[in-house]
Amino acid sequence: MIDIIYDIKTKTLKHFTYRTPLVSVDENGELQCEYSRNKDNHTHIKKVIFLNLVGYEKLTLVDDSGKEVLDEHGNKIFIKGRLISYEPLDPVNEYILTRHIVDGKEEAQQTSKALVHYFRFILDTQDKWDKKYNHEDYDPIIDPPRPAWDEFGIRKNQRATMMYRDAVEKAAINGIGLAKTTAMSYVRSVVAFYTHRIRQGVKFKYPPFDYQTILISVESGGTNMQAQRTIAVQTTDMKLNFPKSMKNDGGKLPSARRDLKPLTNSEWKEIKKILLITKQVIKNVNRKEKLVRLPEEYCLLFRLLRYTGLRKEEGSSLHLGQIIRPDMNKKVLRFGVGDLYGSFTKDPTGGYKNKSRRTIIPASLMLELYDYSHSSRYKKRLEKFKERCRLLRESGEDAYFNGTDGVDENKQYLFISNSGIPFFKKLEEINTRWNEIKKTASMNLPSNVDAVVHNLRSTFAVSTFRALLKNMDADEALKRVSALLGHEDLSTTLLYLKIAQDQPTGDEIWEDVLDYLGVFDEDDDSEEFTESEQSYGATEKI
């Protein structure tokens, strides 16, 4: 009998359009199917990730002499052999499709990731159960049932869902598992999956979790005769409970939100050295860490985000209509993004709104972007982009060009990969390159750089506040930085202001992003765009 190791593998389908089917009965009583011609009824899907249960032959790891290799506890080490089985997880994949087709989501990647994590946890607990209980020793009256995703025991602590919740919560608290926000998101996705199954009419002998109704008492408005009213909130017992984070004393920042932290001066110094001088990062190549060349495009992109406050979605979607040869007598330029300028902006919920705004950019950095856009390296990439668009059009992959972040084949995007893909279609790769940069920078620092790409925006915001606070009051500085960042709600900008007003502690950054005395002297609202600027998104000089 062949022993099998099971794993969850994913299959990704990119860029396709789901067209709503219209079913009718003809004069012969036969069913006929056609598709809606109303494009508003179509769903453009950027990426759908399906789950599959894959079985491999279970082999014992041996050394060159044929001797079995043991771990530190003296147990055999097993590895995957040849492929034995490949079975799609249809109930899961049907739910993922529902997220796209019914809920209208262009992306449901987080849902797929969460369910992969959950089902791998189940496979791991099943493996541990199999090692502890065999068919001869197992007593169904005394021993717990084998964990399963579609069948649950009478005791809560023996249900796979509750075991997953407890394991994720414990690992997050101990700092060895998922981040707390990710853990909560994953558990919510598991709850949503089972809720969908229950709504479909699937019956469980014992439920995956219990629903709870929480009553919240709130004060009534002036139009209500009662002083208070009660709101019933439906929830489940799968909710994670994390202790409140404590402020550190002597740390970089007392803020609990990582996305608000600016980089420290020493952190940015090391990162800047990589982006400007060495242009090399540590990368895992064939399971070995090597020092490799960081592509020029990423060196420019991360500095652009740092000195403009753009989000990665915004910076990676710039095109040549926004790049000019600057007047170097000016230290800073006004720089526009959004629908008016032909590039993307993003709202806090993760959707693309394309609300136009203007920020600032150093003239020296604009000159670097201009020179790069005229380089032979860029021109080769642009040609690959055009050829890729032509082939995709001919093959009928219209979804690549549709949707909220669809590619405009007539634009000359600034940041294009060597295979002709615009960077805003490769956001995960941007994160990967950033992780390589911060890992490399951490080699020369006393502690690891704990920052994501978004912290470049935070660094811009805080240092800009500090520069402005030297010349104006906090209210005026708040108004101007909020406009630069494109915040509709001032609450987030206020948090940046609080960080900026705090006295810097230890190694906290105190670098003015730009030497821009007089940059904001003119009233921005009184300036007008020319027709050509509105059409092509030209950058206005100041």
Side-chain angles (χ1 to χ4, degrees):
M1 182 177 177
I2 300 177
D3 287 334
I4 300 177
I5 296 178
Y6 288 101
D7 194 9
I8 302 297
K9 294 295 183 182
T10 60
K11 174 65 178 178
T12 302
L13 300 178
K14 294 183 178 180
H15 306 300
F16 66 93
T17 300
Y18 174 82
R19 297 181 295 165
T20 304
L22 301 176
V23 181
S24 60
V25 180
D26 62 16
E27 61 274 9
N28 299 320
E30 298 289 337
L31 292 177
Q32 301 295 326
C33 181
E34 58 182 359
Y35 296 101
S36 173
R37 296 179 181 177
N38 185 356
K39 292 186 178 181
D40 293 336
N41 294 333
H42 297 169
T43 301
H44 302 296
I45 301 177
K46 292 163 57 177
K47 180 192 297 184
V48 59
I49 303 174
F50 293 129
L51 277 61
N52 305 281
L53 179 64
V54 183
Y56 299 93
E57 184 179 4
K58 188 176 184 180
L59 302 177
T60 305
L61 180 63
V62 297
D63 57 22
D64 295 337
S65 64
K67 185 178 179 181
E68 293 181 344
V69 179
L70 305 179
D71 63 17
E72 57 184 1
H73 302 293
N75 299 317
K76 296 179 182 180
I77 299 177
F78 297 102
I79 58 174
K80 298 174 183 177
R82 60 189 176 89
L83 182 67
I84 300 294
S85 62
Y86 192 96
E87 177 186 357
L89 290 174
D90 290 335
V92 179
N93 296 334
E94 186 271 332
Y95 167 67
I96 292 172
L97 273 178
T98 300
R99 295 280 291 149
H100 290 285
I101 297 169
V102 178
D103 299 340
K105 299 288 185 180
E106 289 193 357
E107 275 192 287
Q109 183 175 344
Q110 191 76 352
T111 298
S112 297
K113 284 184 176 181
L115 294 175
V116 168
H117 193 262
Y118 171 62
F119 278 88
R120 280 182 174 162
F121 169 81
I122 293 178
L123 291 177
D124 184 54
T125 54
Q126 286 177 342
D127 183 58
K128 292 177 180 177
W129 189 95
D130 292 339
K131 290 177 180 178
K132 186 172 182 180
Y133 304 101
N134 56 45
H135 295 291
E136 295 178 0
D137 299 336
Y138 177 65
D139 187 342
I141 299 177
I142 301 175
D143 298 324
R146 190 173 189 266
W149 74 270
D150 55 352
E151 189 173 340
F152 306 99
I154 187 172
R155 295 181 182 178
K156 282 188 178 182
N157 63 346
Q158 295 176 353
R159 299 173 188 174
T161 48
M162 308 306 289
M163 294 166 66
Y164 177 73
R165 182 204 66 178
D166 295 341
V168 166
E169 182 178 271
K170 182 178 179 181
I173 292 175
N174 293 335
I176 58 175
L178 301 171
K180 293 179 180 178
T181 52
T182 305
M184 290 188 288
S185 174
Y186 278 19
V187 170
R188 283 196 298 267
S189 293
V190 172
V191 171
F193 165 66
Y194 281 107
T195 301
H196 171 75
R197 297 280 291 163
I198 292 170
R199 287 174 178 168
Q200 282 188 313
V202 176
K203 302 292 185 182
F204 296 99
K205 183 177 180 181
Y206 299 106
F209 42 75
D210 292 336
Y211 282 97
Q212 299 174 334
T213 301
I214 299 177
L215 300 179
I216 302 176
S217 181
V218 297
E219 292 185 5
S220 300
T223 59
N224 198 310
M225 294 294 292
Q226 294 181 337
Q228 291 186 332
R229 58 193 177 93
T230 302
I231 299 176
V233 179
Q234 197 79 21
T235 184
T236 71
D237 55 358
M238 288 280 285
K239 185 177 180 181
L240 300 180
N241 294 307
F242 293 121
K244 292 183 179 179
S245 60
M246 299 178 63
K247 293 183 179 180
N248 57 17
D249 32 72
K252 300 174 187 174
L253 272 178
S255 172
R257 286 185 55 180
R258 185 175 67 169
D259 62 322
L260 292 178
K261 293 193 304 182
L263 294 166
T264 65
N265 192 46
S266 59
E267 287 173 342
W268 175 244
K269 182 180 178 180
E270 288 299 324
I271 292 173
K272 186 177 179 180
K273 183 166 65 175
I274 294 171
L275 301 178
L276 270 176
I277 302 173
T278 67
K279 297 185 178 180
Q280 290 183 319
V281 291
I282 296 173
K283 187 174 182 178
N284 194 304
V285 181
N286 296 326
R287 299 183 180 180
K288 292 183 180 180
E289 290 188 343
K290 294 184 178 180
L291 203 60
V292 300
R293 185 78 175 172
L294 180 66
E296 182 179 355
E297 291 73 21
Y298 289 103
C299 296
L300 289 170
L301 175 63
F302 290 125
R303 288 170 57 218
L304 173 73
L305 304 183
R306 164 66 177 85
Y307 289 115
T308 61
L310 296 180
R311 302 175 179 91
K312 62 184 175 185
E313 294 85 0
E314 298 167 344
S316 60
S317 68
L318 299 185
H319 58 89
L320 296 198
Q322 296 167 280
I323 307 301
I324 64 168
R325 184 177 185 88
D327 178 359
M328 296 308 294
N329 292 321
K330 300 285 187 179
K331 293 184 178 181
V332 180
L333 309 179
R334 285 297 252 161
F335 187 66
V337 293
D339 187 54
L340 182 63
Y341 304 92
S343 62
F344 293 130
T345 55
K346 191 176 182 183
D347 69 15
T349 63
Y352 290 88
K353 293 183 67 174
N354 274 17
K355 180 180 178 182
S356 301
R357 76 174 191 277
R358 291 190 299 163
T359 182
I360 50 179
I361 183 172
S364 58
L365 181 56
M366 174 62 81
L367 181 60
E368 288 186 64
L369 297 177
Y370 177 83
D371 290 341
Y372 169 75
S373 69
H374 286 74
S375 67
S376 59
R377 178 185 175 94
Y378 171 74
K379 291 176 181 178
K380 289 178 181 177
R381 294 186 173 220
L382 183 61
E383 287 302 316
K384 289 181 180 179
F385 164 72
K386 293 178 179 178
E387 178 64 14
R388 182 181 182 85
C389 290
R390 185 185 67 79
L391 294 174
L392 289 173
R393 278 295 189 193
E394 290 179 356
S395 63
E397 295 189 39
D398 293 338
Y400 189 74
F401 306 97
N402 298 323
T404 53
D405 67 338
V407 170
D408 185 343
E409 56 207 300
N410 297 314
K411 279 197 175 76
Q412 296 175 306
Y413 293 108
L414 179 63
F415 296 108
I416 303 172
S417 74
N418 192 41
S419 57
I421 303 174
F423 271 26
F424 65 88
K425 286 290 189 180
K426 298 169 68 70
L427 297 180
E428 291 179 20
E429 190 163 322
I430 293 176
N431 292 336
T432 301
R433 298 288 83 77
W434 172 253
N435 289 336
E436 293 167 355
I437 290 170
K438 70 178 187 179
K439 180 180 180 180
T440 308
S442 298
M443 300 292 289
N444 297 320
L445 295 169
S447 60
N448 292 335
V449 179
D450 180 25
V452 293
V453 177
H454 196 77
N455 292 108
L456 294 170
R457 176 173 164 88
S458 309
T459 307
F460 169 83
V462 173
S463 49
T464 302
F465 259 129
R466 285 180 171 151
L468 292 175
L469 289 173
K470 296 177 182 178
N471 301 290
M472 62 187 68
D473 60 36
D475 288 341
E476 183 63 21
L478 177 67
K479 174 184 173 182
R480 297 193 177 190
V481 174
S482 181
L484 295 177
L485 297 175
H487 285 161
E488 293 183 0
D489 187 350
L490 290 179
S491 60
T492 302
T493 320
L494 280 168
L495 295 173
Y496 287 129
L497 176 59
K498 182 180 184 302
I499 296 171
Q501 288 177 316
D502 289 341
Q503 290 297 318
T505 58
D507 190 39
E508 189 175 319
I509 190 169
W510 186 258
E511 173 194 1
D512 291 348
V513 179
L514 308 163
D515 181 15
Y516 49 127
L517 291 176
V519 169
F520 300 103
D521 287 349
E522 297 182 13
D523 184 0
D524 295 336
D525 295 333
S526 65
E527 299 176 7
E528 295 182 356
F529 295 114
T530 65
E531 183 178 351
S532 62
E533 287 173 333
Q534 291 180 352
S535 301
Y536 301 104
T539 305
E540 181 186 354
K541 293 188 289 184
I542 60 171

